[in-house]
């Protein structure tokens, strides 16, 4: 009843303090173990680590889709459990690996990112440009009005990469203070991925961006990279700093680079 609302005009500071998390079905196996992490307003942060390291769990706790087992998450110094979720979620645009695919036209798919405001052409164009969606729209006879379901007349069945760009445009259209992307370009070709992340780093300079990706060509450009292993932070810093330390990040980066060289 007395939940505190978050000011929509202020980008919040998010702090994980001694956070541990385990599923109720297996309380002895910690997915996160005594994790401490501060995400500063306007920071571009990347989370890296092997599968199962706890990257997506951090995002789900940040969104309060899960509650912490131990410790606390603070938003502007307030425990997340005391915050009005509607006002908090309005601050955030998120794209998970398993995103929704709606059998509507492209414009409607994008507009669903923010249903509380009447869209403008300028905002739709901006979202499409940031997601590198325009090369796809230009090839479709009905452009942004194309229905994404081939069971409809003149509808099309997009590829995985095309769907991913539509979902990215939906996240960008939300125009939130915090953008969270969990493997956002896994199905997108390398050239399109380069353009998309150029757009993120260029146009989200004053907003928070939290990115999970296994592609180090993307990760290396973040302002801070946080390396996770078995639910703990084992390294953090810039790409250059982590490469000099010659630890886990450097090892993972060099293995991926070796695959490209071969």
């Amino acid at each position: 009843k007395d939940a505190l609302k978050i000011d929509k005009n202020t980008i919040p500071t998010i702090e994980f303090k001694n956070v541990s998390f385990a599923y109720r079905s297996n309380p002895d196996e910690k997915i996160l173990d005594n994790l401490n992490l501060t995400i500063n307003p306007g920071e571009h942060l990347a989370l890296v680590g092997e599968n199962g390291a706890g990257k997506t769990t951090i995002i789900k706790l940040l969104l309060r889709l899960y509650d912490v087992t131990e410790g606390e998450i603070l938003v502007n110094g307030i425990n997340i459990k005391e915050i009005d979720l509607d006002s908090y979620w309005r601050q955030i645009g998120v794209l998970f690996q398993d995103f929704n695919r709606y059998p509507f036209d492209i414009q409607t798919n994008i507009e669903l990112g923010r249903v509380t405001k009447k869209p403008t052409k300028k905002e739709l164009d901006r979202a499409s440009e940031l997601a590198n969606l325009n090369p796809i729209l230009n090839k479709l006879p009905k452009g942004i009005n194309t229905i994404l379901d081939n069971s409809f007349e003149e509808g099309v069945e997009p590829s995985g990469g095309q769907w991913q760009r539509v979902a990215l445009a939906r996240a960008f259209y939300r125009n939130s203070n915090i953008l969270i992307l969990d493997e956002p370009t896994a199905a997108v070709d390398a050239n399109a991925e380069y353009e998309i992340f150029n757009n993120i780093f260029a146009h989200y300079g004053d907003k928070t961006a939290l990115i999970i990706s296994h592609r180090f060509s993307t990760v290396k450009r973040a302002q801070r990279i946080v390396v996770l292993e078995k639910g703990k932070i084992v390294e953090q810093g810039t790409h250059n700093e982590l490469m000099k330390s010659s630890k886990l990040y450097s090892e993972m980066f060099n293995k991926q680079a070796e695959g490209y060289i071969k």
Side-chain angles (χ1 to χ4, degrees):
K1 292 181 181 179
D2 300 320
L4 301 172
K5 292 190 176 182
I6 295 292
D7 180 7
K8 65 180 180 181
N9 298 315
T10 303
I11 302 175
T13 298
I14 297 172
E15 186 178 2
F16 287 67
K17 291 187 71 174
N18 305 317
V19 167
S20 294
F21 175 79
Y23 292 105
R24 292 180 182 177
S25 58
N26 193 2
D28 294 328
E29 184 179 341
K30 291 184 178 181
I31 309 301
L32 296 177
D33 187 5
N34 197 36
L35 182 133
N36 289 279
L37 174 67
T38 299
I39 303 170
N40 298 305
E43 185 175 23
H44 293 168
L45 184 74
L47 299 177
V48 302
E50 297 180 349
N51 291 334
K55 303 183 296 295
T56 299
T57 301
I58 287 175
I59 289 176
K60 291 185 175 180
L61 288 169
L62 186 155
L63 293 168
R64 213 185 161 203
L65 300 179
Y66 300 157
D67 274 333
V68 301
T69 307
E70 300 173 22
E72 58 183 349
I73 298 173
L74 303 177
V75 181
N76 287 341
I78 304 167
N79 192 305
I80 196 172
K81 295 179 182 179
E82 300 174 13
I83 291 172
D84 175 76
L85 282 177
D86 283 341
S87 71
Y88 178 54
W89 285 337
R90 287 192 193 101
Q91 291 265 8
I92 302 170
V94 60
L95 176 61
F96 285 111
Q97 295 179 56
D98 299 322
F99 53 85
N100 290 347
R101 307 180 185 207
Y102 301 104
F104 304 136
D105 59 81
I106 295 172
Q107 179 170 330
T108 303
N109 264 277
I110 295 172
E111 290 174 2
L112 285 169
R114 185 176 39 155
V115 296
T116 56
K117 184 181 177 184
K118 187 175 181 179
T120 65
K121 185 178 185 302
K122 182 179 179 181
E123 290 173 320
L124 289 166
D125 288 346
R126 177 181 179 274
S128 298
E129 183 180 351
L130 288 173
N132 197 235
L133 186 58
N134 289 332
I136 296 170
L137 298 179
N138 294 337
K139 294 178 182 178
L140 298 171
K142 289 197 169 186
I144 201 168
N145 300 120
T146 303
I147 296 176
L148 299 179
D149 189 325
N150 62 7
S151 62
F152 288 87
E153 188 175 347
E154 296 186 329
V156 300
E157 193 63 40
S159 66
Q162 290 170 336
W163 262 122
Q164 203 155 40
R165 288 197 227 184
V166 171
L168 270 166
R170 183 159 65 228
F172 287 130
Y173 174 74
R174 190 166 178 79
N175 199 26
S176 56
N177 284 329
I178 301 172
L179 178 67
I180 299 174
L181 303 175
D182 186 354
E183 289 291 345
T185 53
V188 172
D189 63 80
N191 287 335
E193 180 193 52
Y194 180 81
E195 292 297 329
I196 289 166
F197 279 96
N198 262 352
N199 293 336
I200 292 173
F201 292 122
H203 296 282
Y204 267 78
D206 59 339
K207 297 184 178 184
T208 302
L210 180 58
I211 299 163
I212 293 176
S213 179
H214 286 100
R215 292 185 181 178
F216 286 94
S217 57
T218 296
V219 167
K220 66 183 289 188
R221 299 164 66 193
Q223 293 170 341
R224 180 162 55 113
I225 301 165
V226 175
V227 186
L228 293 159
E229 185 178 31
K230 297 179 180 178
K232 295 184 177 183
I233 295 175
V234 293
E235 294 179 85
Q236 55 183 310
T238 65
H239 169 76
N240 289 337
E241 289 168 348
L242 294 174
M243 289 301 293
K244 288 178 182 177
S245 70
S246 300
K247 295 180 182 177
L248 180 59
Y249 177 85
S250 173
E251 180 185 333
M252 291 190 296
F253 182 90
N254 287 329
K255 282 182 179 178
Q256 191 168 109
E258 185 179 320
Y260 281 109
I261 293 171
K262 286 182 179 180

